[in-house]
Amino acid sequence: MPEIVQLLASPAHRFVGRPADGPVPAPAGELVDEIEIRAELGIVGDRYFGKAAHRAASVTVVAAESLPPGAGLAQVRRNIMTSGIAVDELIGSVLVLDSGQGPVRLRVNQAAHPCAWMDVTIGPGAWRGLRGRGGIRCTPVTDGILRVGAVDAMIEAGPGRRQT
């Protein structure tokens, strides 16, 4: 059964400068049990909320199965970690998640490619190891609430894709 494993809404940019210098310390409370998503704007309270330059990538999703044991959202700087959903295969589709408060639709625009920071935050070799499995960048299409725990997941076909 699919589930939401972790959620992150961080007001701070932590991966700034050179990876060798290490990330800025995490603000308290960036890992949360629930997030509020607003259509076309992103996650309320997140660093990219309402930023025009980030609208196509204001919500990021990664599969727990893609990460090494012990790695989480604080290390990869994605917003939603799922289990049981092959998110990296969904580019061009709409991912619909419902954790009990009604469906939230996320238009999957592109891959969220890993970067050199992964070798610092997860461990040597993570950058290369996560290529093709770094998650997805999405635009929220509807408002809603997502919570950690069991989630109903559906994939709606995008242009030129079949419904699954």
Side-chain angles (χ1 to χ4, degrees):
M1 169 165 232
E3 71 175 307
I4 294 175
V5 178
Q6 277 187 328
L7 295 167
L8 181 140
S10 180
H13 292 274
R14 293 187 45 231
F15 294 0
V16 295
R18 297 177 305 189
D21 296 335
V24 172
E30 71 175 5
L31 290 174
V32 295
D33 292 329
E34 125 179 344
I35 56 174
E36 178 183 354
I37 295 177
R38 302 286 304 277
E40 303 296 327
L41 297 173
I43 298 170
V44 174
D46 190 71
R47 64 204 176 280
Y48 295 125
F49 181 76
K51 306 277 191 225
H54 295 279
R55 292 239 168 102
S58 62
V59 176
T60 53
V61 184
V62 67
E65 294 84 356
S66 294
L67 302 177
L73 295 179
Q75 288 82 29
V76 295
R77 302 303 286 170
R78 306 295 186 252
N79 301 115
I80 302 169
M81 183 192 306
T82 62
S83 178
I85 305 168
V87 299
D88 294 298
E89 301 171 7
L90 301 180
I91 296 168
S93 300
V94 174
L95 172 60
V96 183
L97 299 173
D98 186 342
S99 59
Q101 295 284 107
V104 174
R105 287 178 167 71
L106 303 170
R107 184 175 48 249
V108 182
N109 299 313
Q110 61 192 26
H113 299 294
C115 66
W117 281 99
M118 301 305 104
D119 284 347
V120 173
T121 60
I122 296 173
W127 179 16
R128 177 169 273 134
L130 287 173
R131 288 184 184 157
R133 304 177 320 139
I136 52 178
R137 297 184 184 282
C138 307
T139 302
V141 179
T142 58
D143 293 350
I145 304 286
L146 291 176
R147 292 190 172 127
V148 170
V151 66
D152 290 328
M154 187 177 81
I155 312 308
E156 294 178 347
R161 290 185 59 108
R162 293 185 328 196
Q163 181 93 15
T164 58

